[in-house]
Amino acid sequence: MATAGRERDSGDGAAAGGREVTLLTREGCGGCDAAWERLDLVCKEFGIAASAVDVDAAAARRPELRAEFGDRLPVVLLDGREHSYWEVDEERLRADLAR
């Protein structure tokens, strides 16, 4: 999966607006690019810069990501917790970000 133009995982905490939205991905993941496009659009509505983390590339420092989520990618994390997987639940994400 190409990551050009995407925010990278920095481990620095919450993004703008106090919310952190992360897409867990894997190189070659068929649905990850489509999920990123949808996620990026929703996050931009709220002024949030989403990040993308390749669970395989991050495995050396964060092996728990691949262990927990690696079999159901893409996964959307909202504030570090699983929000949706396989696709972006846009309606629910918008509602949760509006809170």
Side-chain angles (χ1 to χ4, degrees):
M1 180 168 115
T3 57
R6 294 184 194 168
E7 294 292 316
R8 300 297 296 171
D9 175 48
S10 63
D12 293 336
R19 306 308 298 266
E20 182 179 10
V21 181
T22 305
L23 183 67
L24 301 180
T25 66
R26 166 176 284 131
E27 187 69 37
C29 167
C32 293
D33 287 329
W36 174 259
E37 296 300 323
R38 303 307 314 157
L39 183 67
D40 190 46
L41 288 173
V42 172
C43 287
K44 283 180 179 176
E45 291 174 20
F46 291 88
I48 296 171
S51 64
V53 176
D54 182 310
V55 297
D56 297 321
R61 62 185 177 85
R62 296 179 69 189
E64 73 280 1
L65 292 178
R66 184 169 57 187
E68 185 172 349
F69 302 109
D71 63 341
R72 55 196 159 136
L73 298 173
V75 174
V76 176
L77 301 179
L78 176 57
D79 299 330
R81 295 186 178 176
E82 183 176 340
H83 188 270
S84 58
Y85 62 95
W86 291 336
E87 58 186 38
V88 178
D89 185 340
E90 294 180 49
E91 183 177 330
R92 183 171 159 235
L93 183 58
R94 282 185 180 96
D96 290 343
L97 290 173
R99 293 182 204 194

